Amino acid sequence: MKRLYETILTEGIVINDNVLKVDSFLNHAINPQLMKEIGEEFAERFSGEPITKVLTLESSGIAPALMTSLVIGCELIFARKRQSLTLVDNLISTTVDSYTKKQKNTISISGDLIKPDDTVLIIDDFLANGQAAKGLIDIAQQAGTSVVGIGIVIEKSFQPGRSELENQGIRVESLARIASLTNKQVQFVEKTRL
Ligand code: G4P
C-alpha cells in the first residue's frame, strides 16, 4: 500500500528501537481517506472468504476495522477493554497481557452479537507480540466461530507476533511490515506490494 508506506515515512515518529508513534493518522488523529484505502485493501486480500463479522479491539482497531466491514458489507464488533454499564449478560471474555504496558487487561464482547455460524476476520492496528490478536482469536473460538485470518495495518516484524500466530495456523495479512526501527529509521521488510 503505497500511501500507507509514504504516510509512515512522512508522519511516523520513531520513539525508540521498539516503538513507532503514528498519532497523526492511526492512534489519535485518524486519516479517513487512508482508512478507506486500508479497508479496500483488506477486503481485496480476503475476498473469496465468506466473512460475516469483522472483529477488533478498542480503540485504535476500530477505524480500519470499520472501513473494512463497510467494504465487505458485514457487521463490525469491537471487544471492550473497560467494563460497560450495559454489557453485563452473556459476556465472552479473555485476558490479554500487554508486554509494552506491563499490564493485564480483560477484554470482552457480548455473546449475543456473535454466533457459531459466523465467519470472522480480525483486524487490528499494530502487531507486536501478538497478545491482542491471540485474545481476539480466543474470543472468536469461545463463540464457536471460524476465523479466516488477521489483517494488521502495521506489523513490527522484528517482534514475535506474526510467527506465533502463523504457528497456530492463522493467516496474517499485514499492510506494512517494519523490519527495524534502529537509528531512528523505519526500514520496511519489503516493498513488493507498492
Ligand atoms: P501485542 O498486542 O501485539 O502483544 O502488543 P503490545 O502488548 O506490545 O502492545 C500493547 C499496545 O501498544 C497496543 O495498543 C498496541 O497496538 C500498541 N503498540 C505496540 N507497539 C506499538 C508501536 O510501535 N507503536 C504504537 N503506536 N503502538 C504500539 P493498545 O493499548 O490496544 O492501544 P489503543 O488500541 O487503545 O490505541
Side-chain angles (χ1 to χ4, degrees):
M1 272 203 68
K2 189 165 186 288
R3 187 193 289 262
L4 178 60
Y5 279 97
E6 284 172 358
T7 309
I8 290 170
L9 289 175
T10 54
E11 299 185 23
I13 299 168
V14 180
I15 302 289
N16 57 42
D17 288 358
N18 288 309
V19 177
L20 175 70
K21 181 173 174 172
V22 289
D23 280 7
S24 71
F25 62 93
L26 185 59
N27 287 149
H28 197 17
I30 292 171
N31 179 328
Q33 182 60 38
L34 180 61
M35 290 307 130
K36 179 169 174 277
E37 291 179 28
I38 284 169
E40 289 165 351
E41 179 71 18
F42 281 135
E44 206 263 318
R45 291 197 190 194
F46 288 97
S47 63
E49 299 283 2
I51 297 161
T52 59
K53 296 267 181 355
V54 171
L55 177 64
T56 190
L57 178 59
E58 67 172 346
S59 54
S60 297
I62 294 175
L66 176 64
M67 298 315 294
T68 305
S69 64
L70 183 68
V71 180
I72 291 173
C74 69
E75 290 177 12
L76 161 70
I77 305 174
F78 65 89
R80 288 182 181 271
K81 291 177 186 161
R82 288 167 284 275
Q83 283 193 328
S84 156
L85 190 64
T86 53
L87 181 56
V88 285
D89 295 327
N90 194 15
L91 273 188
I92 302 175
S93 299
T94 194
T95 304
V96 172
D97 289 311
S98 171
Y99 287 110
T100 312
K101 297 181 181 169
K102 308 280 179 236
Q103 65 186 24
K104 282 183 193 293
N105 282 312
T106 299
I107 65 169
S108 310
I109 67 168
S110 165
D112 295 340
L113 297 178
I114 190 161
K115 296 292 170 205
D117 60 357
D118 275 316
T119 301
V120 170
L121 170 62
I122 293 170
I123 297 286
D124 208 359
D125 58 335
F126 265 90
L127 178 60
N129 294 293
Q131 297 302 313
K134 283 187 204 163
L136 291 170
I137 292 166
D138 184 33
I139 280 185
Q141 287 175 341
Q142 286 186 53
T145 69
S146 57
V147 176
V148 300
I150 299 190
I152 295 291
V153 180
I154 303 176
E155 171 190 314
K156 292 188 292 181
S157 306
F158 55 90
Q159 293 184 295
R162 169 182 278 266
S163 54
E164 291 191 10
L165 294 169
E166 286 181 338
N167 288 342
Q168 284 186 29
I170 305 288
R171 176 182 170 194
V172 180
E173 288 286 342
S174 302
L175 304 189
R177 300 186 65 199
I178 294 177
S180 157
L181 293 172
T182 54
N183 303 320
K184 299 273 177 189
Q185 294 283 321
V186 177
Q187 300 283 348
F188 293 109
V189 171
E190 37 76 17
K191 295 189 178 182
T192 51
R193 296 193 76 139
L194 281 179

